[in-house]
Amino acid sequence: MLVDCRVNGRFCAQCCYGTEMVLTLEDIERITAAGYRLEEFAEYRDGFVRLRNVDGHCVFLDPATGRCRIYPVRPLGCRLYPLVYDPVRDEVLVDDLCPRADEVRRAVGDPNRYRYVMRRLLRSALRTAQVYGEALRNTYPSPKE
């Protein structure tokens, strides 16, 4: 599924503000292979390794253009968005915050057909927290701690 993220000719980037995006080991491998250090883009928060926010948006967002600086190697969760997983209900939803939500619903049909992928993403994110969580917590403590 490919979503055209442009709204009125400009990249929307709404999903990049206040991001809660979890990272997998594979995400970290791709991003570090592109030349970034883990401490530059990741933080341990709420039990997961997540993309850092800088000035209220994803560290990789260019706010002037609305484009992702690492688009070819962006995290799996970013690739799947606006599909989001609710683990409590074990349900895949289309995020209504996305301006293209209705278009995605029409294209995808039943988003729960992506449930297996989303469950794997969650399991992988939990493993990533086990591997990198302590190091990141010690490097950049969460403001809540």
Side-chain angles (χ1 to χ4, degrees):
M1 170 187 65
L2 187 59
V3 177
D4 182 357
C5 294
R6 290 173 293 199
V7 176
N8 298 324
R10 177 170 159 51
F11 286 93
C12 168
Q14 188 167 335
C15 56
C16 303
Y17 285 87
T19 184
E20 297 283 323
M21 189 57 63
V22 297
L23 296 171
T24 68
L25 293 171
E26 295 80 8
D27 294 333
I28 291 171
E29 289 171 11
R30 281 192 313 277
I31 296 168
T32 56
Y36 295 92
R37 290 186 353 263
L38 179 67
E39 299 81 16
E40 292 176 303
F41 66 85
E43 64 183 353
Y44 182 79
R45 186 168 25 99
D46 301 327
F48 290 95
V49 177
R50 299 175 185 271
L51 281 175
R52 292 178 84 54
N53 282 287
V54 176
D55 297 327
H57 59 78
C58 174
V59 65
F60 293 118
L61 175 68
D62 178 348
T65 64
R67 297 189 79 149
C68 177
R69 292 183 176 107
I70 62 161
Y71 191 82
V73 297
R74 70 194 184 282
L76 177 59
C78 297
R79 294 167 190 261
L80 292 169
Y81 189 83
L83 297 180
V84 294
Y85 182 58
D86 178 346
V88 174
R89 294 175 17 198
D90 189 31
E91 188 173 21
V92 180
L93 309 165
V94 178
D95 190 345
D96 286 322
L97 293 176
C98 176
R100 300 279 190 227
D102 289 337
E103 176 183 321
V104 170
R105 278 188 196 91
R106 285 191 299 276
V108 167
D110 180 10
N112 281 302
R113 66 190 185 127
Y114 291 92
R115 186 180 291 137
Y116 176 75
V117 173
M118 296 301 222
R119 286 176 182 160
R120 287 189 59 202
L121 173 63
L122 178 60
R123 284 193 302 271
S124 183
L126 289 168
R127 281 193 306 278
T128 304
Q130 291 172 338
V131 172
Y132 289 108
E134 190 64 29
L136 286 169
R137 185 178 16 247
N138 292 333
T139 304
Y140 294 101
S142 169
K144 294 179 184 175
E145 296 180 342

